[in-house]
Structures are given as C-alpha cells and as structure tokens.
C-alpha cells in the first residue's frame, strides 16, 4: 500500500501517536510535578510545533541546498548623523526552556515510556531510511532527542547489527552467514560416555 499524506507509513503513524502521548504526559504530569503552568504550556507548544515541522518536512521530501547569496557591501558610517542616546527600555524576562541533556525526562519522569518508544522508533529501518534520505529531519528532531536524552546518530546504520547467531536467514531467506565461512575441522578424538 502506498503512503499518502492522509495515510502515512506505519512507523510515522507510531511517531505521531508517541508525540501525542508525550504532549499528554507533559500536560497531565507537569502541573502535578510542580512544573509551572507557563513552562508546561511552552513545552507542549514546542512539542506540537516540532511534530508539525517534522511532518511538513517529510511531506516536502528532500530539498536541494540553496546557493549562498553574494555578500552585500557595508555602507560607510556617516559621522554627522549620530542617533541620540536613549536609555534602554526594561525588557521583560522571557521564559526559556532548559537546554541540558535529558532535561524533559528529568523534569517530568513520567515521559519515560515515550522515551523508550522513541528509541525503538529511531532504530526502525524504515524510519532511519527517512532520516538518511532527508537530513533536514535530523535537524528538526535533534532538540526532541536532546530533551529526552536519546543519542541521535548522525550516520547510518541507525540500528545495531544483528548478533552473529541470528536466525534472520531462516525468516527472510537471506543466505546463511555460516555457509560463507570455511567449515570447522572435526576433532580427531571422540567423546565417550562415562
């Protein structure tokens, strides 16, 4: 079945469900964990915007990098026209989100389930294929994975290699890895029962 904007691939639907679950966990457990309501609202808005940006970039597909614009000449300063010095206005302190590693997971530990699930989604080969095909998605997801304390790989493979005794060749019909190796020599002695 072909993926369309109304019917995204299964792994993307899993990602959307996990992001919604993460937003629900922030909205429900944030105030209960004594996180200020403005901070909860800001985190929730940031997660929703991140999901929207990710889905929009995924729908657009990879974009070719733009050529760098030519440098503009800097105008010569005019010594006659000097602005009148005005006292700086008092600025209201802006609410910013933390930036240390795993800050969201430490702030609201109830997000641990979504953290675990996002790690598995990242290890999915189909999701990894989307990230490799469009590096912009990695830039969009980096703040999320930093907030959850998940290492976002920059190069494939995203999933660990299967163990050497894997039986994938039986399920998927790939060549048996032991057949390509040289046969092990049989020992010259026999084990006798006691």
């Amino acid at each position: 079945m072909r993926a369309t904007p109304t019917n995204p691939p299964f792994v993307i639907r899993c990602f959307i469900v996990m992001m919604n679950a993460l937003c629900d966990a922030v909205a429900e457990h944030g105030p209960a964990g004594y996180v200020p309501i403005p901070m909860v609202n800001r985190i929730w808005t940031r997660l929703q915007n991140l999901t929207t940006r990710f889905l929009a970039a995924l729908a657009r597909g990879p974009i070719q990098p733009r050529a760098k614009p030519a440098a503009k000449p800097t105008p010569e300063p005019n010594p006659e026209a000097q602005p009148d010095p005005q006292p700086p206005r008092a600025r209201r302190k802006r609410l910013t989100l933390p930036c240390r590693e795993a800050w969201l997971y430490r702030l609201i530990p109830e997000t641990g389930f979504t953290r675990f699930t996002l790690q598995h989604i990242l290890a999915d080969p189909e999701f990894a294929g989307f990230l490799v095909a469009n590096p912009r998605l990695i830039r969009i997801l980096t703040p999320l994975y930093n907030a959850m304390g998940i290492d976002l790989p920059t190069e494939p493979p995203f999933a660990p290699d299967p163990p050497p005794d894997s039986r994938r060749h039986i399920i998927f019909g790939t060549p048996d890895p032991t057949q390509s190796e040289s046969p092990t020599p049989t020992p010259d002695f026999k084990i006798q029962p006691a």
Side-chain angles (χ1 to χ4, degrees), residues 56-183:
L58 186 68
R60 278 194 305 267
I63 297 176
Q64 298 297 327
R66 298 179 188 169
K68 292 186 179 181
K72 295 180 181 178
T74 55
E76 300 259 343
N78 188 356
E80 296 174 1
Q82 299 225 352
D84 296 332
Q86 295 178 355
R89 290 189 334 187
R91 294 177 60 181
R92 197 169 86 184
K93 188 173 180 181
R94 189 174 179 188
L95 179 66
T96 57
L97 296 177
C99 58
R100 68 179 183 174
E101 187 177 355
W103 65 266
L104 181 56
Y105 177 61
R106 291 177 184 169
L107 189 65
I108 306 172
E110 289 81 8
T111 59
F113 173 73
T114 52
R115 177 179 189 248
F116 177 75
T117 310
L118 285 171
Q119 282 178 324
H120 281 282
I121 289 175
L122 181 64
D124 186 273
E126 187 177 5
F127 193 79
F130 289 128
L131 297 182
V132 169
N134 191 352
R136 176 174 286 183
L137 300 177
I138 296 175
R139 287 197 303 274
I140 293 171
L141 291 181
T142 298
L144 169 68
Y145 283 100
N146 181 47
M148 297 302 288
I150 303 170
D151 291 331
L152 185 64
T154 55
E155 296 179 2
F158 290 87
D161 292 69
D165 61 343
S166 174
R167 303 288 181 231
R168 291 175 58 89
H169 64 280
I170 297 171
I171 299 171
F172 299 105
T174 57
D176 186 0
T178 57
Q179 289 178 354
S180 61
E181 299 172 359
S182 60

Side-chain angles (χ1 to χ4, degrees), residues 17-30:
V17 167
M18 280 304 104
M19 289 303 291
N20 290 336
L22 182 59
C23 289
D24 292 344
V26 167
E28 183 179 343
H29 298 289

